[in-house]
Amino acid sequence: MKNVLPPCFFLLTIAYVLSCVAAADEPVNLAPKAQAWASSQYSGSYAAQYAIDEKISVGSDIGQAWACLGDTSGDKAEFTLTWPQPVEVAEIVYWGRTGSLISEMWKDYELYLDDDSQPAAKGTFKMVRRPQRIVIA
């Protein structure tokens, strides 16, 4: 898989992209090895790369989370992960911004793999303060 493009993420604290190709099928977080890009970001303190830095903040999340600029993006954004070489992905784990209001932790999503025109998965994240899994068939 080259790209992961889930449009409509409004706020993101951390993305785990898990692959089960490691020894004994132990999950490996591939997200920190990717280049992150987003079509919108609230500020430099909320850049896309902060979504995959393996940090989950308690309290302030400045420099530890990605957030789009909702006023100008229409509360929609594209978030892309690109690896230098293809990777096999089993699931994505989404954490809403823990330093934000819980009402900002949910949104519809679509997941695109490589250059596919049809989503590999789509749904709505729940308004909860815990990880949410997107399992890839």
Side-chain angles (χ1 to χ4, degrees):
M1 181 176 80
K2 186 169 91 180
N3 296 319
V4 175
L5 178 64
C8 305
F9 274 1
F10 180 49
L11 301 169
L12 186 69
T13 295
I14 189 166
Y16 284 101
V17 180
L18 301 177
S19 172
C20 289
V21 296
D25 288 333
E26 301 237 352
V28 174
N29 185 6
L30 299 172
K33 298 175 183 165
Q35 178 65 40
W37 173 86
S39 61
S40 173
Q41 66 183 34
Y42 184 78
S43 69
S45 296
Y46 290 96
Q49 201 64 31
Y50 294 132
I52 59 172
D53 64 3
E54 299 186 286
K55 295 178 186 173
I56 300 172
S57 64
V58 178
S60 175
D61 60 8
I62 296 171
Q64 298 181 44
W66 167 64
C68 77
L69 189 56
D71 292 342
T72 60
S73 69
D75 292 339
K76 294 182 179 182
E78 295 180 4
F79 183 86
T80 303
L81 297 178
T82 305
W83 289 267
Q85 299 167 349
V87 296
E88 289 187 38
V89 174
E91 68 181 337
I92 295 173
V93 180
Y94 165 84
W95 280 84
R97 280 184 53 213
T98 56
S100 182
L101 299 172
I102 196 165
S103 62
E104 295 181 349
M105 298 176 80
W106 66 279
K107 196 69 176 164
D108 296 335
Y109 68 87
E110 292 181 352
L111 172 69
Y112 291 84
L113 305 177
D114 297 317
D115 296 322
D116 290 346
S117 61
Q118 297 298 315
K122 61 183 180 177
T124 301
F125 291 117
K126 297 176 185 172
M127 197 180 317
V128 296
R129 291 193 189 277
R130 66 177 188 266
Q132 299 181 59
R133 298 170 61 193
I134 304 171
V135 178
I136 300 171

